[in-house]
């Protein structure tokens, strides 16, 4: 199969609608982030460029959601929005004094408490996020576009039968499953500061999806997985890159060039999915890494140079103005248009005070990922890569 882009003009899709943006902005962990991301991108004029086509999002059907998620979870998600329990069945409600406890038990079972608390529109949100990433996959499969951007996607923690880590639905898994209808091998790269555990769990026993997660790993840091040392003979194509505090742009670049690039060449995927969680940026409330906007842009440029059908998704990022800055810049990178470092005036202009500038510079934490530790990482990646079977040239025209 020939999957490299041979088109002389860029074919880029951008999944967006005002309705979807309003729904995505309800997510409690990222209130109004979607509105502000798309507003800044629009203010830069990027949505009007001929290289980019706006594609309407769509809602996933029950059948599509249940390709990965359990039917019980999907059904409960649709019933649970009314926490007064009027729409819940007897099993969910209990009776008499036990009613509240029964509901709490069910919410706990499905992960819909604490960081994934129920909110108005939760089921509609899940349907739109999942359906839009599935649509992104379909656009690539149909060879309608070379790159599809879906900044409201990238929810990598959700499990088969429960929500987790601010993620109600695992749109990434569903999107990759859709890609598998046409692409033999898919490479998934996760740049979020948290381990991409939900995606790894879904594909760890197949060699048809290579999951690569670069994340902060430390005792007590969510989700506590991704050490890179727990692979078994059953694990087929999983590579974890556990990193320490203070990750710098130069260290990230080194890891990418010296370790991820060889992984790509060895695995030779037919399509690539990139999760661009930006909670590793300097200034994010999590405060773990030193990355700048340029750090993410450099990674994206390198992946684009592979010339594979590419799905670009969002993810974490809890300083909204920084996330909007980064996603606007990454959108410009995909299009190939440089944008001004001055934030254009628009509805949320005041959020970018006091400097009203695009760039978010690198942080100043000490980079604990020393040369010696990077060598340990290299050996860890080599060990995890032993299960990978190099693909033979399948007529690819790179």
């Amino acid at each position: 199969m020939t999957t490299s882009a041979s088109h002389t003009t860029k074919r880029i899709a951008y999944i967006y609608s005002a309705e979807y943006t309003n729904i995505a902005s309800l997510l409690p962990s990222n209130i109004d982030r979607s509105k502000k991301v798309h507003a800044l991108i629009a203010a830069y004029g990027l949505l009007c460029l001929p290289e980019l086509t706006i594609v309407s999002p769509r809602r996933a059907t029950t059948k599509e959601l249940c390709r990965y998620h359990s039917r019980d979870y999907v059904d409960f998600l649709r019933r649970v929005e009314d926490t007064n329990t009027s729409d819940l069945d007897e099993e969910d409600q209990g009776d008499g004094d036990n009613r509240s406890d029964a509901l709490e038990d069910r919410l706990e079972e499905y992960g819909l408490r604490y960081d994934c608390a129920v909110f108005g529109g939760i089921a509609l949100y899940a349907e739109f996020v999942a359906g839009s990433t599935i649509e992104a996959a379909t656009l690539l499969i149909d060879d309608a576009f070379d790159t599809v951007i879906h900044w409201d996607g990238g929810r990598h923690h959700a499990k088969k039968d429960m929500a987790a880590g601010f993620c109600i639905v695992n749109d990434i898994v569903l999107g990759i499953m859709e890609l598998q209808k046409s692409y033999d091998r898919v490479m998934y790269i996760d740049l979020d500061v948290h381990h991409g555990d939900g995606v790894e769990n879904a594909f760890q026993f197949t060699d048809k999806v290579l999951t690569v997660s670069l994340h902060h790993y430390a005792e007590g840091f969510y989700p506590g997985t991704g050490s890179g040392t727990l692979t078994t003979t059953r694990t087929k194509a999983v590579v974890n890159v556990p990193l320490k505090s203070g990750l710098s742009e130069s260290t990230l670049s080194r890891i990418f060039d010296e370790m991820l690039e060889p992984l790509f060449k060895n695995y030779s995927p037919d399509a690539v999915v990139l999760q661009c969680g930006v909670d590793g940026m300097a200034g994010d409330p999590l405060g773990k890494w030193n990355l700048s906007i340029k750090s993410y842009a450099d990674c994206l440029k390198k992946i684009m140079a592979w010339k594979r059908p590419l799905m670009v998704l969002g993810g974490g990022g809890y300083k909204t103005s920084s996330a909007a800055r980064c996603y606007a810049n990454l959108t410009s990178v995909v299009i190939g248009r440089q944008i001004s470092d001055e934030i254009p005036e628009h509805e949320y202009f005041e959020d970018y005070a006091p400097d009203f500038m695009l760039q978010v510079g690198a942080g100043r934490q000490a980079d604990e990922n020393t040369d010696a530790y990077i060598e340990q990482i290299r050996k860890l990646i080599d060990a995890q890569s032993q299960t990978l079977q190099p693909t033979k040239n399948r007529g690819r025209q790179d």
Side-chain angles (χ1 to χ4, degrees), residues 101-212:
D101 289 342
L103 176 59
E104 288 301 309
D105 287 347
R106 296 285 277 172
L107 291 170
E108 187 83 33
E109 176 185 353
Y110 292 120
L112 295 171
R113 299 187 64 201
Y114 312 115
D115 56 348
C116 293
V118 174
F119 60 92
I122 188 171
L124 187 61
Y125 165 81
E127 291 168 0
F128 262 115
V129 172
S132 297
T133 296
I134 293 170
E135 181 67 15
T138 302
L139 294 170
L140 293 174
I141 289 171
D142 291 345
D143 195 30
F145 297 94
D146 306 308
T147 303
V148 183
I149 300 170
H150 177 208
W151 290 132
D152 295 307
R155 315 314 300 182
H156 61 170
H157 291 307
K159 308 302 190 296
K160 185 180 182 69
D161 54 4
M162 66 184 300
F166 305 140
C167 302
I168 309 303
V169 64
N170 203 313
D171 64 294
I172 305 172
V173 170
L174 292 167
I176 292 174
M177 292 175 74
E178 189 70 17
L179 288 174
Q180 288 183 294
K181 291 180 178 180
S182 290
Y183 299 120
D184 186 47
R185 288 190 170 195
V186 178
M187 184 174 184
Y188 168 71
I189 301 172
D190 192 317
L191 299 180
D192 200 280
V193 78
H194 298 101
H195 177 226
D197 57 335
V199 183
E200 177 183 309
N201 288 348
F203 298 113
Q204 61 184 319
F205 300 128
T206 176
D207 62 0
K208 297 300 184 181
V209 179
L210 169 59
T211 61
V212 182

Side-chain angles (χ1 to χ4, degrees), residues 20-34:
Y20 179 29
T21 295
N22 289 333
I23 294 165
S25 292
L26 298 173
L27 186 66
S29 60
N30 297 109
I31 292 291
D32 287 341
R33 190 183 83 169
S34 181

